[in-house]
Structure formats: C-alpha cells, structure tokens
C-alpha cells in the first residue's frame, strides 16, 4: 500500500487487476480524452498491468497507481516523475460507474498529500483536453491553478485539440492545509 484515504487505497497494480482494468478502459466514455482507444483487449490489459506492477514510484518516468475501493479496482492515477525528482505530471482515469461520487477527487487529494508532505515535491502539473470540463473542474477543486491554454496544440484521435495547463506548487498546497494543533496552554 502506498497511500490510504478515507475510502480508497492507492496501491501497486497486481495481475488480478487486469480484467477490471480492461473493462473500464474499454468504455468509450472513459477512453474519449485518454491516449488509448477502446476497447482494450484482455491480453493487452494483462501486459499493461504487468508493466505497471514493475514500475518504481521513486524513479523518474511514469508510475501508475491502482485506485482501490474495498478491494475493487475503480481507476488509476498516473504520475510522471521528472529526472530532478522534484516535479511531476499527473493524470487520472476512473471507471464510469464510480464517477460523480468524489472518488477521483479523493484519490488525487490523497496522492497530492503524499507527494507534497511525505515526498516534498516542489510542483505537480496536469494537462487536460479543453473539452474535458469534468477533469478541469476536478483539478481546480483540488487546488490546481489554471496556468494556460494552448490552442490547437495536440493532434489527438484525428483532430486538433486545445490543451488546458494546470499547476500546483508545494508552498501553495501547504498553505491551504488546516493548521496542526499545538500543545495546550
């Protein structure tokens, strides 16, 4: 286990996750703004989950956290740690049936707390397709600042798309945390 929130565990992927992973990533609504195309065949999911399981969250590059609700894989968070180990890019995916219930926000908040408090990263960035307003709202809700818009920047699934850029600095994150109670007088 890496990170625990009130309802979720962010953990390493295991081979047992492949079937559920293939199921939610095969949903066209989930894949719409993501880098893969639906459906995701089970054999591909098995290979992907195996690769995710071998990743190291402390090393530069992408690491995928499994989002676990009561033993059920409901999504994943991707973190691309920079070579300097002080900044990262964030992405997230959640199965359709678990959207709109606060799970994605809770998972992202839990990971941000881990990254900024436990690991002391300086900055976390995120990028969203401008049409993906739900992701943009989630990022703003958890504290990210909208930093820019790159018009017609990405050739994505056969069309040019606009990219919205978000960032969150450790100092800004820490300033929003409730104060830690001190000793009683």
């Amino acid at each position: 286990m890496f990170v625990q929130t009130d309802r979720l565990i962010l953990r390493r992927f295991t081979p047992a996750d492949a079937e559920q992973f293939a199921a939610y990533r095969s949903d066209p609504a989930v894949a719409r703004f993501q880098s893969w195309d639906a459906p995701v065949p089970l054999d591909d999911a098995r290979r992907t989950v195996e690769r995710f399981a071998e990743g190291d969250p402390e090393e530069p590059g992408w690491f995928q956290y499994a989002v676990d609700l009561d033993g059920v894989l409901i999504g994943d968070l991707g973190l691309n740690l920079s070579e300097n180990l002080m900044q990262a890019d964030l992405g997230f995916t959640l199965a359709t049936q678990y959207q709109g219930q606060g799970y994605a926000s809770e998972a992202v908040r839990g990971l941000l707390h881990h990254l900024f408090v436990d690991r002391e990263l300086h900055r976390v960035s995120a990028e969203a397709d401008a049409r993906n307003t739900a992701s943009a709202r989630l990022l703003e809700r958890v504290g990210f600042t909208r930093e820019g818009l790159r018009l017609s920047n990405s050739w994505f699934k056969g069309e040019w798309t606009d990219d919205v850029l978000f960032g969150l600095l450790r100092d800004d994150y820490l300033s929003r945390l409730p104060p830690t109670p001190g000793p009683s007088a």
Side-chain angles (χ1 to χ4, degrees):
M1 172 180 49
F2 291 108
V3 177
Q4 186 163 357
T5 68
D6 288 343
R7 301 179 293 175
L8 305 170
I9 295 174
L10 307 182
R11 59 168 173 79
R12 183 179 295 280
F13 271 87
T14 68
D17 294 321
E19 193 170 313
Q20 188 60 33
F21 179 81
Y24 72 77
R25 286 204 170 199
S26 290
D27 181 339
V30 172
R32 180 175 180 210
F33 299 114
Q34 300 286 7
S35 61
W36 68 86
D37 293 314
V40 174
L42 185 55
D43 285 343
D44 291 352
R46 284 185 181 117
R47 285 189 294 276
T48 301
V49 164
E50 183 178 301
R51 191 179 73 248
F52 287 169
E54 294 170 354
D56 185 345
E58 304 290 329
E59 293 294 321
W62 282 100
F63 181 82
Q64 216 74 16
Y65 293 85
V67 179
D68 183 306
L69 172 67
D70 298 326
V72 176
L73 177 70
I74 67 167
D76 54 271
L77 300 180
L79 190 77
N80 185 14
L81 188 61
S82 296
E83 289 290 327
N84 65 16
L85 306 178
M86 295 303 297
Q87 56 199 65
D89 296 308
L90 173 71
F92 45 88
T93 304
L94 201 68
T96 302
Q97 64 267 36
Y98 296 99
Q99 294 177 11
Q101 300 172 57
Y103 293 122
S105 295
E106 183 175 332
V108 170
R109 280 187 181 108
L111 185 56
L112 290 173
H113 187 84
H114 172 68
L115 296 172
F116 287 131
V117 175
D118 302 331
R119 292 181 55 187
E120 299 184 2
L121 263 66
H122 171 69
R123 175 184 170 83
V124 176
S125 301
E127 187 175 312
D129 185 309
R131 299 168 298 175
N132 191 350
T133 56
S135 287
R137 283 192 311 267
L138 183 153
L139 290 166
E140 290 171 341
R141 192 168 47 251
V142 300
F144 280 81
T145 299
R146 184 177 175 153
E147 296 180 333
L149 174 66
R150 293 187 299 205
L151 297 173
S152 198
N153 185 68
S154 298
W155 180 252
F156 185 72
K157 297 186 178 183
E159 63 183 318
W160 289 106
T161 62
D162 299 342
D163 299 329
V164 184
L165 308 176
F166 295 89
L168 180 57
L169 296 172
R170 180 175 191 265
D171 289 345
D172 292 338
Y173 176 83
L174 295 176
S175 73
R176 295 181 189 132
L177 289 178
T180 305
S184 306

